[in-house]
Amino acid sequence: MTNSELVLLSLVAEAPRHGYELEKVIEERGMRNWTEIAFSSIYFLLNKLVKDGLIAAQTQPAAGRGPAKKVYTLLPAGADALKQGVREGLANAFPGDRSFLLGLSCLPMLPNAEVLAALAERQAALYARQSELQHHPALNLPGFPTHVTAMFTYSLSLLNAEIDWLSAYIRQLEKES
């Protein structure tokens, strides 16, 4: 499932919505900053989600003048797919992965225990990646060009920052539960 599909599922899970309303919420929340959903693809993706049995479309008459609107609602299979996508987005540790931001935006859809488990999985993957980087020859053996070493020190710095942030956030969630 793509991030764009998960965004639409999450917004329809919040409340039944028509296509233009989905576009408006995506724009208001700045979701295009961290997902690849385009206005032109919203209706294509909605039709795909309907075809896949994840959402339902029902035509509702217009409130006043104007055309009738299709309102989309989440189906049980869509709720399951959304939860799975949120879990994966939270658990997978790929730096710069926008699915993590999607996962964070959908935290209320999972029980706290599942959130903590997914974040612990992500944390373990980050520590494993940190260990790989720390032991890379570019950081431990002389003779590597400066720009190559810089790629590894930069990546390690970003990884360390995420590990620090994630550890603090997990502690915060544990206190709240």
Side-chain angles (χ1 to χ4, degrees):
M1 173 138 328
T2 68
N3 281 351
S4 296
E5 292 167 334
L6 286 171
V7 164
L8 293 177
L9 282 177
S10 72
L11 295 176
V12 171
E14 288 178 4
R17 291 191 163 108
H18 57 80
Y20 181 75
E21 186 179 7
L22 288 163
E23 163 60 22
K24 185 177 174 187
V25 173
I26 288 166
E27 192 64 34
E28 286 172 352
R29 295 184 187 179
M31 292 176 144
R32 287 204 176 84
N33 294 331
W34 48 268
T35 191
E36 60 281 345
I37 193 165
F39 176 73
S40 60
S41 65
I42 289 175
Y43 287 98
F44 170 81
L45 291 171
L46 288 169
N47 289 331
K48 181 182 182 306
L49 293 171
V50 168
K51 182 181 170 191
D52 292 346
L54 302 177
I55 61 174
Q58 184 175 12
T59 303
Q60 291 186 346
R65 295 204 255 135
K69 296 179 182 179
K70 271 190 187 177
V71 176
Y72 299 90
T73 56
L74 191 68
L75 295 174
D80 291 342
L82 176 60
K83 288 178 183 177
Q84 182 61 32
V86 171
R87 279 187 209 98
E88 289 174 8
L90 291 171
N92 293 330
F94 301 106
D97 182 16
R98 294 176 174 186
S99 65
F100 182 66
L101 293 175
L102 176 62
L104 286 176
S105 76
C106 297
L107 284 182
M109 296 180 186
L110 295 179
N112 201 38
E114 284 187 49
V115 170
L116 287 169
L119 292 177
E121 188 177 331
R122 180 182 188 87
Q123 188 178 44
L126 290 172
Y127 281 131
R129 181 71 179 132
Q130 180 188 47
S131 179
E132 288 174 23
L133 286 174
Q134 288 171 333
H135 293 95
H136 193 279
L139 297 178
N140 296 294
L141 297 175
F144 279 87
T146 305
H147 72 280
V148 172
T149 302
M151 290 171 26
F152 286 92
T153 57
Y154 173 77
S155 296
L156 190 56
S157 295
L158 292 177
L159 196 56
N160 288 336
E162 183 170 354
I163 288 169
D164 291 345
W165 176 87
L166 184 58
S167 298
Y169 189 60
I170 288 172
R171 285 192 303 274
Q172 177 185 345
L173 289 177
E174 288 171 339
K175 284 180 187 177
E176 293 173 2
S177 61

